[in-house]
């Protein structure tokens, strides 16, 4: 698309293929003036995640798993209507889709390696607990009658 601000990079050298993006335009809801009833400024961007060849297979499987709740027949849809200009809504939708795919294709976090509590810390905690108990015991009203 001429006028669009270049390829929208997902991660590394992988970007959204312009040929696989399906754009749909409609009238935005909300307030407006005379111009609002004649222009289609709301943007709906569709990307067929299940059939794309642009993503590495591992990324594609990961994204299909993570976006399963958002997919409709393997197609992910993003809407943008917050701007009054169609061009800015197109940009917003493309950036939003690229961000969504970047998050969905990210490698899983490294598993947490549990650490042991050092013995000194545990001993200090128990010593302080005993000290506190001793202090409270000393406050009891045994000999105050």
């Amino acid at each position: 698309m001429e006028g669009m601000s270049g390829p929208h990079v997902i991660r590394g050298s992988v970007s959204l293929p312009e040929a696989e993006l399906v754009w749909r335009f409609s009238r935005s809801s909300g307030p407006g003036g005379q111009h609002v009833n004649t222009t289609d400024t709301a943007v709906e961007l569709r990307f067929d995640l299940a059939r794309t060849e642009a993503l590495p297979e591992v990324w594609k499987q990961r994204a299909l798993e993570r976006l399963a709740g958002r997919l409709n027949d393997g197609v992910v849809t993003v809407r943008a209507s917050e701007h009054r200009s169609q061009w800015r809504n197109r940009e917003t939708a493309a950036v939003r889709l690229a961000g969504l795919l970047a998050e969905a294709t990210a490698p899983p976090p490294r598993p947490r390696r549990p650490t042991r509590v050092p013995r000194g810390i545990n001993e200090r905690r128990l010593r302080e607990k005993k000290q506190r108990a001793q202090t409270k015991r000393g406050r009891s009203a045994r000999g105050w009658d």
Side-chain angles (χ1 to χ4, degrees):
M1 295 262 128
E2 65 276 355
M4 292 288 286
S5 66
H8 293 281
V9 177
I10 295 173
R11 199 168 59 251
S13 62
V14 180
S15 60
L16 285 173
E18 199 62 47
E20 293 184 24
L21 299 178
V22 179
W23 300 91
R24 205 175 111 213
F25 308 101
S26 60
R27 294 190 179 113
S28 290
S29 61
Q34 296 171 323
H35 185 61
V36 78
N37 295 326
T38 59
T39 57
D40 294 336
T41 56
V43 174
E44 187 177 274
L45 175 59
R46 297 167 151 265
F47 180 67
D48 195 343
L49 186 58
R51 291 184 189 85
T52 187
E53 297 296 321
L55 297 177
E57 196 58 37
V58 177
W59 287 19
K60 190 158 86 169
Q61 291 308 316
R62 204 179 287 156
L64 284 169
E65 276 178 30
R66 291 183 182 168
L67 296 175
R70 280 192 72 143
L71 296 178
N72 200 355
D73 293 330
V75 177
V76 65
T77 305
V78 175
R79 285 186 56 82
S81 62
E82 48 270 2
H83 302 292
R84 290 180 66 179
S85 113
Q86 186 187 95
W87 183 82
R88 287 185 66 196
N89 282 330
R90 289 172 73 128
E91 282 292 302
T92 303
V95 167
R96 201 176 289 165
L97 179 63
L100 185 70
L101 290 174
E103 196 175 304
T105 59
R110 287 176 38 203
R112 181 186 171 278
R113 225 178 75 211
T115 56
R116 283 184 49 217
V117 177
R119 190 187 321 153
I121 290 178
N122 215 14
E123 286 174 355
R124 187 179 71 207
R125 181 181 64 83
L126 293 173
R127 195 170 47 249
E128 286 171 0
K129 248 179 115 158
K130 280 183 184 169
Q131 185 79 39
R132 185 82 179 136
Q134 193 81 28
T135 303
K136 288 186 169 192
R137 218 178 294 120
R139 291 182 190 151
S140 68
R142 260 185 279 164
W144 294 17
D145 290 323

